[in-house]
Amino acid sequence: MNIEKTKNASELVLALEGRLDTTTAPDLEALLKEELDGVDSLVFDFAKLEYISSAGLRVILSAQKQMNKQGKMVIKNVSSDVLEIFEITGFSDILTIE
């Protein structure tokens, strides 16, 4: 998985490419721990994300919980396959997906 990071003042945009799974979720988790201080807008761009596993969902949920305290989080450009995973797991009810 590749992560393209763009930080603009207090907004952090993370574009994910590939698969967010057990192997790659720790990389995203580590990046979020380093980068979320002072961020009040977190945007995930999933245009090139092919798959998300339960490990990836856990990292996304953790980010959502943190952003609930300090700002907002949005997930954009979700493929139909990833959206289906969000809907089946109920994540579509707790995440802001555009």
Side-chain angles (χ1 to χ4, degrees):
M1 179 184 70
N2 291 323
I3 303 171
E4 185 179 314
K5 174 183 73 171
T6 309
K7 198 163 189 180
N8 190 4
S10 62
E11 179 181 66
L12 176 63
V13 179
L14 298 175
L16 277 57
E17 180 179 352
R19 297 171 58 90
L20 181 55
D21 55 23
T22 310
T23 308
T24 58
D27 298 337
L28 178 60
E29 191 170 31
L31 177 77
L32 289 168
K33 280 184 181 173
E34 288 175 18
E35 298 290 337
L36 282 186
D37 277 349
V39 170
D40 61 23
S41 176
L42 175 61
V43 179
F44 284 103
D45 184 346
F46 280 6
K48 296 180 180 176
L49 187 70
E50 300 163 5
Y51 172 79
I52 186 167
S53 74
S54 59
L57 290 171
R58 182 184 54 77
V59 175
I60 298 297
L61 182 61
S62 175
Q64 179 67 66
K65 285 180 178 176
Q66 184 164 352
M67 291 310 297
N68 284 345
K69 297 175 191 167
Q70 66 189 64
K72 63 177 183 151
M73 183 177 108
V74 176
I75 301 174
K76 296 184 176 185
N77 305 316
V78 179
S79 71
S80 58
D81 289 344
V82 173
L83 184 59
E84 185 178 2
I85 293 168
F86 284 153
E87 289 172 348
I88 289 169
T89 58
F91 274 58
S92 57
D93 296 333
I94 55 174
L95 301 173
T96 304
I97 302 171
E98 294 179 352

